[in-house]
Amino acid sequence: NKPSLVTLEDFFRFAVRRFRAARLAYGHGTTNATDEAAFLILEALGLPIHHIDPWLDYKPTAAERARLLTLIDARIALRMPAPYLVGAAYMRGVRFQVDRRALIPRSFIGDMLAGGTLPAVKPRRILDLCTGSGCLAILAALAFPRATVDAVDISAGALALARRNVAAHRLGDRIAIHRGDLFRPVQGRRYDLIISNPPYVDAGGMAKLPPEFRHEPRLALAAGGDGLDLVRRIL
């Protein structure tokens, strides 16, 4: 009952209950209704997203209550991924601006970079193919402070978003943005490390995508009949 929503705990329980009833699809930073509700509420209010418990007694203002109700309703009615609704996503605790011009950051490569498992020799020149929002290029630059990074994508819209993220992390002196098809914009250059999260969804997978994933750019997902069209070209 909306009139009984007074504290953040009330909104949190309300959102979880509604998300579960709506049978939403997850996979854009969270895997369940509880985490999705916590992320949406905390990020919407500009609070640290790691733990909701310290904020459960907080009483949102009238404007904040209206915003939360609008976001909860939109998550269900539009089946829009939460990061698109609040304009932000996180990888390994690093915040990125996101919108529908690029995939929502969620690559395992981010875990490998931040976890220090890749590579043994510290690279000085790195290439990020299909950079999208620029998230992996940024994580690579943060993981290897002495490296320079070339970030390539074919989408002008995605690269505009990547430039915003690079500027937000103050890495413009170490990350160069290039528009073009795979290696073409950087032909002749050599790299110590090449990373890529290219389109990887096969035709069968595209046909079965939940509505949440259909809000993302098709160009960044669809990869032909077997999902390897871009992979073959890269190799």
Side-chain angles (χ1 to χ4, degrees), residues 209-222:
L209 281 180
E212 281 84 350
F213 292 84
R214 296 183 186 277
H215 287 287
E216 295 186 288
R218 182 181 177 87
L219 180 67
L221 290 170

Side-chain angles (χ1 to χ4, degrees), residues 36-145:
E36 185 90 343
F39 166 75
L40 187 67
I41 289 170
L42 293 171
E43 182 64 29
L45 298 183
L47 297 171
I49 65 160
H50 306 293
H51 301 287
I52 196 169
D53 290 359
W55 310 101
L56 291 177
D57 292 333
Y58 174 73
K59 294 180 180 179
T61 65
E64 289 172 337
R65 291 198 300 270
R67 174 164 167 73
L68 292 177
L69 287 174
T70 297
L71 288 171
I72 292 166
D73 286 343
R75 180 65 184 89
I76 294 165
L78 303 178
R79 296 290 293 269
M80 182 80 72
Y84 282 160
L85 290 171
V86 294
Y90 293 77
M91 286 179 70
R92 300 292 298 200
V94 180
R95 187 180 189 274
F96 299 101
Q97 300 176 48
V98 299
D99 60 38
R100 293 181 62 186
R101 292 176 293 181
L103 279 188
I104 294 168
R106 56 181 181 274
S107 172
F108 289 116
I109 298 171
D111 296 329
M112 297 171 74
L113 288 168
T117 59
L118 197 207
V121 177
K122 304 301 184 189
R124 298 301 292 265
R125 300 202 56 162
I126 301 172
L127 172 63
D128 177 24
L129 284 180
C130 309
T131 193
S133 65
C135 57
L136 292 182
I138 290 167
L139 289 179
L142 295 175
F144 303 109

